[in-house]
Amino acid sequence: GAGVSQSPSNKVTEKGKDVELRCDPISGHTALYWYRQSLGQGLEFLIYFQGNSAPDKSGLPSDRFSAERTGGSVSTLTIQRTQQEDSAVYLCASSLVPGQNEKLFFGSGTQLSVL
Amino acid sequence: GDSVTQMEGPVTLSEEAFLTINCTYTATGYPSLFWYVQYPGEGLQLLLKATKADDKGSNKGFEATYRKETTSFHLEKGSVQVSDSAVYFCALKGAGSYQLTFGKGTKLSVIP
């Protein structure tokens, strides 16, 4: 597709369940990011992938969060044993290269609601 | 660490009013500065950027000037339209960094 695609667009789950969020970056983009947008909190960096390098996981808030990127393309963010404080919009972004001046292209996000 | 502080919203303006959204930053070295915009129901998109001191980024009638002496990157538009209603995020990338650090966002509503 032409842009970054995320699925599902909305996810409602029960506390304690696991969820998987998917991101399809723009074809050819080597850098992929996950951010979390919480109400009143702005955007919080979660994890970054660049090519075949080890990902930067420094933003993951707990060990319940993990992510992978298969074949340098699609990425999946997994949240295990979800908690109510995990409710947020999860945004994926990609860029052609990871340079300082490169702009990020964002998907529309997955709205996660944990009941 | 790097941080961005921007004007808290929400901001409500009448059409054709002048807009300023303040943004200041803390970073070592020479960061690149960005404004992203999120229209209702859409993903964030880059509005403008500036990569060195005194640079002015501009797009769609919006402008922001990279002021290193005041560590600021305020967003301005001379005459807002209803279609400018959105959430605006100031952001920076530190020198040599790949990661964007965002402000909390400012919601702008423009009424006819």
Side-chain angles (χ1 to χ4, degrees):
Chain A
V4 177
S5 177
Q6 291 187 245
S7 61
S9 56
N10 281 283
K11 177 71 177 178
V12 179
T13 190
E14 294 178 351
K15 178 182 172 180
K17 300 283 190 185
D18 297 352
V19 295
E20 282 191 353
L21 312 180
R22 177 187 168 102
C23 172
D24 270 294
I26 293 173
S27 177
H29 280 197
T30 63
L32 186 147
Y33 307 74
W34 283 97
Y35 282 84
R36 178 166 70 174
Q37 185 177 16
S38 303
L39 197 61
Q41 296 300 315
L43 276 79
E44 173 189 12
F45 168 77
L46 296 178
I47 188 169
Y48 161 77
F49 295 90
Q50 166 53 29
N52 295 320
S53 302
D56 175 356
K57 304 179 181 181
S58 61
L60 294 178
S62 78
D63 59 8
R64 296 186 295 104
F65 287 71
S66 63
E68 61 178 21
R69 188 180 186 191
T70 54
S73 181
V74 172
S75 177
T76 302
L77 177 69
T78 301
I79 309 173
Q80 296 179 309
R81 305 180 303 282
T82 52
Q83 303 296 311
Q84 288 183 332
E85 61 263 27
D86 299 334
S87 297
V89 177
Y90 289 82
L91 295 172
C92 177
S94 68
S95 67
L96 187 59
V97 292
Q100 182 180 357
N101 300 326
E102 287 294 318
K103 76 176 190 180
L104 270 60
F105 293 81
F106 283 83
S108 296
T110 295
Q111 172 76 62
L112 175 65
S113 300
V114 182
L115 305 179
Chain B
D2 296 345
S3 67
V4 175
T5 301
Q6 66 179 99
M7 194 167 100
E8 298 277 334
V11 174
T12 302
L13 294 174
S14 298
E15 207 165 22
E16 299 184 1
F18 183 85
L19 169 71
T20 300
I21 300 178
N22 289 338
C23 172
T24 57
Y25 67 89
T26 301
T28 54
Y30 297 89
S32 295
L33 301 174
F34 305 81
W35 278 98
Y36 278 79
V37 58
Q38 186 175 32
Y39 297 104
E42 299 183 16
L44 274 79
Q45 55 188 274
L46 180 67
L47 179 60
L48 53 84
K49 70 178 182 181
T51 59
K52 62 183 188 295
D54 300 324
D55 266 3
K56 177 184 285 188
S58 61
N59 186 25
K60 299 182 180 181
F62 290 88
E63 293 183 339
T65 301
Y66 188 142
R67 301 285 189 202
K68 186 151 182 68
E69 63 276 12
T70 54
T71 61
S72 65
F73 193 54
H74 304 322
L75 182 69
E76 296 182 336
K77 186 173 185 181
S79 176
V80 293
Q81 305 300 311
V82 173
S83 57
D84 294 326
S85 298
V87 181
Y88 293 82
F89 292 90
C90 186
L92 70 82
K93 272 193 189 181
S97 174
Y98 50 78
Q99 182 189 131
L100 272 173
T101 298
F102 286 89
K104 292 187 177 182
T106 302
K107 183 176 182 179
L108 170 67
S109 298
V110 181
I111 55 178

